[in-house]
Amino acid sequence: DVVMTQSPLSLPVTLGQPASISCRSSQSLVYSDGNTYLNWFQQRPGQSPRRLIYKVSNRDSGVPDRFSGSGSGTDFTLKITRVEAEDVGVYYCMQATHWPKTFGQGTKVEIK
Amino acid sequence: QVQLQQWGAGLLKPSETLSLTCAVYGGSFSNDYWSWIRQPPGKGLEWIGEINHSGSTNYNPSLKSRVTISIDTSKNQFFLKLSSVTAADSAVYYCARISAGACDWGQGALVTVSS
C-alpha cells in the first residue's frame, strides 16, 4: 500500500496567521493518464469529512480561496493563508492513484 | 446537489455480519465510483471499497475476504456487508462519492461490536 505521511500531526495556529501541512507519499502519485490524484479533506469536530482540494491544486466548489494545494510526484502541501476559527479540525491528504486508496494520519489544526 | 443518507444496525456481536445501506438522493449513479470508508473512534480514515453503476468493485485487500459491496440502481442505493466482525471493526462507517468532479459524504453510521 502507498503510505501517506503528514507533518506536523498537530498544528497550533494564531487566528489570521498562515498554516501549512505537508504530505509525502511512499510512491509517485502520477497516474498513467498524467494526472496526480491527491486530495485534501477537512474534518470538523463531529462532522463527516469535506474535500477541499482535488488533483493536487483544484479547489472544490464553495471552498474559500484561502485554501490552496501544491506539489508534485511524492511531495504535497496544503496552505491556509489566514487561519479562521472555522478552520479548526483535522486535515487529511488522500491518494487515489494507487489501489487501495490511502489516507494520511491526519493533522489536527487548533487555535492557540 | 447529491445527498447520501445511510443506515444500518449500530450494535453487533462478534462474528455477526455488518450491513449498511446508502441511499443517493438528487442524482443518479452515473459513471462514478461509490465508496465505503470507515473511521475507528478517535482515529484516521480507512478505505473499505467501492462500486460503480455496473457493479464493478474494488476492495481493500486488508478486508477483501470479508467485504461485499453491492448496488441496486433501481432504488439508487448501494450496500456494505462485512462478515465475521470483531471489536476491531467498531467504527463510524461512511458512504461517499469521491470523484474528480464531485465529492459527497453520508452522515456516518456508528457501528459498535461488543459481546
Side-chain angles (χ1 to χ4, degrees), chain A residues 1-9 20-29 38-40 70-78 92-95 102-107:
Chain A
D1 297 4
V2 174
V3 177
M4 306 296 288
T5 303
Q6 291 182 227
S7 63
L9 299 184
S20 179
I21 301 170
S22 170
C23 176
R24 290 194 167 95
S25 58
S26 60
Q27 300 177 34
S28 172
L29 298 186
L38 186 283
N39 301 282
W40 287 97
S70 63
S72 63
T74 62
D75 199 349
F76 305 93
T77 302
L78 176 71
Y92 296 92
C93 59
M94 188 214 86
Q95 66 83 20
T102 47
F103 292 89
Q105 319 96 299
T107 294

Side-chain angles (χ1 to χ4, degrees), chain A residues 74-96:
Chain A
T74 62
D75 199 349
F76 305 93
T77 302
L78 176 71
K79 292 184 178 177
I80 311 173
T81 52
R82 292 174 303 279
V83 171
E84 298 189 5
E86 66 179 17
D87 300 336
V88 165
V90 181
Y91 291 76
Y92 296 92
C93 59
M94 188 214 86
Q95 66 83 20

Side-chain angles (χ1 to χ4, degrees), chain A residues 43 48 51 54 94 99 101, chain B residues 39 47 50 59 99-100 106:
Chain A
Q43 187 174 30
S48 301
R51 191 174 66 183
Y54 63 96
M94 188 214 86
W99 188 258
K101 300 173 185 179
Chain B
Q39 184 172 37
W47 207 287
E50 61 187 14
Y59 296 134
S99 68

Side-chain angles (χ1 to χ4, degrees), chain A residues 49-70:
Chain A
R50 164 201 184 196
R51 191 174 66 183
L52 302 174
I53 302 287
Y54 63 96
K55 287 197 289 184
V56 181
S57 59
N58 296 274
R59 263 191 310 275
D60 276 277
S61 176
V63 174
D65 61 7
R66 65 179 181 274
F67 290 95
S68 65
S70 63

